[in-house]
């Protein structure tokens, strides 16, 4: 927890001095579109795995699972229900689908009933017990740096993807009031560590709220209050099985993949790095690696094709940092 706290403090400083804002704004518009699509494909893979439709395979890496299983059948039915309801303009299509699959799953005995309410556990064992002094030890500083880099790349990519899906980016591909969003994100990491939780981050599942119409900070405040209330309904929340939430993730993934249509497919120096970003992100199961490979490919292709004037100093520096990370860390 001490390491998490220190990584959060570093994050706050980077946000205050606009270093992280500089990093986010340095990413070209085409790569921002690809980050949104890459996260979408990443989420789709997670959803299909949760539903049991895609499983690991020693020979082919992945293969189709047991689609006759109740979990897979319920997940597929839930996805079709969500799409149909959304097409008909029914409010809360995603939530209705999740609740419907959960209800049928309980009725079939696939999901066990676990009760409705419970008393939240005490924070006493972890509250303000972060060992900050111990985290300053040389052997642990590497862990602090690892947490920091993970948060920097992962949450920045998630923020871009969510902002792109919500239509929050301006004509130049930048997010207005970005500093406020970054500060909120970084402060949450340090605050969470003091409470006793691992690094808090911007979750890509937030796109489900955007897909349902959430566009303002009021959405986040309401969700926060509902999460607070859900502490007393933990057994009820725990009953929602993965095959009920998987259809929602797949539904959102489709919405996010639409951003690929806006890419400049006529210019390979724009589209090739984007495709690299999308595929690496999904198949390495890492948002940060997808951003890194896409950025490095973008800079290299622009330089090698004589389009160096379209590059700016920040994107070149970011690409160099990514390259150094793989070569020397």
């Amino acid at each position: 927890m001490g390491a998490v706290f220190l990584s959060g403090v570093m994050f706050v400083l980077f946000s205050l001095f606009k270093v992280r804002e500089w990093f986010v704004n340095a990413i070209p518009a085409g790569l921002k579109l690809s980050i949104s699509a890459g996260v979408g494909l990443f989420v789709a893979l997670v959803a299909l795995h949760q539903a049991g439709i895609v499983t690991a395979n020693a020979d082919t890496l992945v293969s189709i699972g047991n689609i006759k299983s109740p979990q897979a059948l319920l997940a597929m039915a839930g996805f079709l229900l969500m799409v149909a309801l959304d097409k008909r303009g029914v409010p809360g299509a995603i939530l209705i689908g999740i609740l419907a699959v959960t209800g049928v799953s309980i009725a079939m005995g696939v999901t066990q009933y676990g009760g409705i309410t419970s008393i939240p556990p005490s924070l006493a064992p972890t509250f303000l017990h972060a060992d900050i002094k111990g985290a300053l030890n040389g052997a642990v500083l590497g862990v602090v740096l690892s947490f920091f880099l993970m948060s920097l790349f992962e949450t920045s990519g998630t923020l871009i993807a969510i902002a792109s899906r919500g239509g929050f980016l301006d004509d130049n591909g930048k997010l207005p009031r970005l500093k406020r969003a970054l500060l909120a994100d970084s402060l949450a990491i340090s605050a969470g560590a003091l409470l006793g939780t691992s690094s808090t981050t911007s979750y890509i599942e937030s796109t489900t709220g955007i897909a349902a119409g959430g566009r303002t900070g009021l959405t986040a405040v309401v969700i926060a209050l509902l999460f607070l209330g859900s502490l007393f309904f933990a057994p009820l929340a725990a009953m929602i099985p993965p095959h009920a939430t998987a259809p929602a993730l797949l539904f959102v993934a489709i919405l996010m993949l639409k951003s690929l249509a806006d890419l400049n497919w006529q210019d390979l120096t724009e589209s090739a790095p984007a495709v690299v970003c999308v595929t690496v992100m999904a198949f390495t199961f890492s948002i940060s690696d997808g951003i890194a490979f896409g950025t490095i490919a973008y800079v290299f292709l622009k330089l090698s094709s004589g389009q160096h004037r379209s590059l700016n100093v920040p994107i070149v520096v970011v690409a160099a940092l990514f390259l150094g990370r793989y070569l020397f860390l």
Side-chain angles (χ1 to χ4, degrees), residues 188-212:
I189 295 176
S190 296
L194 294 178
L195 291 173
T197 186
S198 56
S199 291
T200 60
T201 183
S202 303
Y203 283 93
I204 199 60
E205 287 82 358
S206 297
T207 50
T208 57
I210 291 175

Side-chain angles (χ1 to χ4, degrees), residues 5 19 21 24 35 39 45 51 67-68 85 111 141 158 167 171 200 211-212 219 235 251-252 256 266 328:
F5 176 80
V19 177
E21 184 176 350
V24 173
I35 290 172
V39 171
L45 182 59
I67 59 173
K68 294 181 180 180
L85 291 176
T111 299
L141 286 178
T158 302
D171 295 337
T200 60
T219 304
F251 180 88
V252 171
M256 299 186 70
Q266 303 304 315
F328 305 110

Side-chain angles (χ1 to χ4, degrees), residues 3-36:
V4 172
F5 176 80
L6 289 180
S7 70
V9 172
M10 291 175 63
F11 228 162
V12 171
L13 294 176
F14 267 56
S15 299
L16 282 173
F17 292 101
K18 298 187 177 182
V19 177
R20 191 180 171 198
E21 184 176 350
W22 170 80
F23 164 74
V24 173
N25 286 331
I27 300 175
L31 278 180
K32 285 180 178 176
L33 291 173
S34 69
I35 290 172
S36 178

Side-chain angles (χ1 to χ4, degrees), residues 7 10 12 22 51 54 84 103 152-153 170-172 178 199 203 209-210 215 223 232 241 243 283 294 315 326 328:
S7 70
M10 291 175 63
V12 171
W22 170 80
V54 172
L152 176 64
F153 300 139
D170 60 22
D171 295 337
N172 297 318
L178 176 60
S199 291
Y203 283 93
I210 291 175
R215 287 294 186 278
I223 291 173
F232 299 91
H243 55 269
F283 299 129
I315 191 62
Y326 288 115
F328 305 110

Side-chain angles (χ1 to χ4, degrees), residues 24-102:
V24 173
N25 286 331
I27 300 175
L31 278 180
K32 285 180 178 176
L33 291 173
S34 69
I35 290 172
S36 178
V39 171
L41 189 60
F42 175 90
V43 169
L45 182 59
V46 172
L48 293 173
H49 177 67
Q50 284 186 354
I53 298 173
V54 172
T55 59
N57 186 295
D59 298 319
T60 61
L61 298 183
V62 293
S63 62
I64 193 166
N66 180 14
I67 59 173
K68 294 181 180 180
S69 68
Q71 291 86 348
L73 292 173
L74 285 170
M76 290 186 282
F79 173 73
L80 296 176
L81 176 62
M82 290 177 189
V83 175
L85 291 176
D86 181 75
K87 179 62 178 178
R88 290 177 173 272
V90 177
I94 295 176
L95 183 59
I96 292 173
I98 293 175
L99 294 177
V101 172
T102 301

